Amino acid sequence: MNKFFRRIGILLSLVAIFALAACGGGDKSTDEASATKDNDAASSFPEKDINGVIQWGEGGATDIISRTLASIAEDEIGASLIMQNKTGASGAIGAQYVYDQPADGYTLLFGAENPNLYQLLEISERDYVNDFVPVSIIGQSYAGIVVNKDSEFDTLEDLVDYASENPGKLLMGTSGEGGLPHVASAMLKSELDTAFNLIPYDGDGPLSVALLGDEIDVTVLAVSAAQEYVDSGDFKMLAVLNDSSLDSIPDVPPITDIYPQFEQYLPWGPFQGIFAHKDTPEDVVQKLSDAFKAAQEDEEFIEKLTSLGVDPVNLHGEEAEEFVKANQSTSTWMLYDAGETDISPEELGIPKVGE
């Protein structure tokens, strides 16, 4: 009897072992099936239109550059790019929308630098480094301090003196917390003791309209967005936030010619890029990157960027990732050092550039 039960016990043990092996084999099979599915999806990508989400309003630098590139890239990708603007919350609404979509490469974020500051300013939990993968960094832009053609201010010194002596009286248009004008105003406040009344708008396009209509006294725009208004005489650009002049607007002085103390922050400026959800299959990201890389080599597109005061960079892969991290480091520490936020970038695991 004891021998019988021993045999039964052995048989049961063997059954258990085989069952566990089957389970393990099932997991492996599932993983292989998932990998095969991803590979199949990548090899056939794209099978439908791709949605491009622009996180800023129509007519701004990001909008102009994104739509121009999208029309060229369609032939390289082999699918239509359906572009739409999703504005609000300093671009966070558009970024969150893309993050919430399936990570399959069919929804891309055409964005600027703002998500690099979301966590620091408690605007959103999303950021480029942790939640997205760069498909392409298109270009590095520069910023200019601009006023209406009829403004009483003809030089940056005039503007700074008035803003210092009349704190809060001048209306500065911004694109919200973390936007280019907000960061620039923090630099001015930190170094020149200026105080502006910040009025938010949904990107460079609406800011330009507001300045044209005298709704605001001053703003900071990407040179790419302000260029046509400066050329037409509608805007006066008092200075560029750079340590040297720009070929596209050679008569506008760099801010360091007027206030040398800004050299510590420069070179710095906005950028435009294309991003996918972090979990998008690598092969799909690579396909998209290759297509946008080829599109950005188009001579007419390069001429367009250059005419807008944008340096074409056309970065992909690790180079793009390092570029985004460096921009985040510079911008977050700039705001923190200017006293614009109580949260230290160090708390978010963001090192200073070079550390």
Side-chain angles (χ1 to χ4, degrees), residues 113-134:
E113 68 283 351
N114 309 78
N116 274 340
L117 296 171
Y118 286 164
Q119 293 185 15
L120 184 78
L121 298 172
E122 299 182 284
I123 293 173
S124 168
E125 295 179 354
R126 307 276 77 85
D127 79 346
Y128 284 143
V129 174
N130 296 298
D131 301 308
F132 296 90
V133 58

Side-chain angles (χ1 to χ4, degrees), residues 8-26:
I8 291 296
I10 292 171
L11 286 172
L12 290 174
S13 297
L14 289 172
V15 170
I17 290 170
F18 283 122
L20 288 172
C23 289

Side-chain angles (χ1 to χ4, degrees), residues 185-200:
S185 71
M187 290 195 321
L188 295 172
K189 176 183 177 182
S190 176
E191 297 298 328
L192 303 175
D193 195 31
T194 56
F196 297 96
N197 185 359
L198 304 182
I199 311 296

Side-chain angles (χ1 to χ4, degrees), residues 74 78 110 341 346:
E74 288 180 330
F110 286 72
T341 175
E346 191 172 11

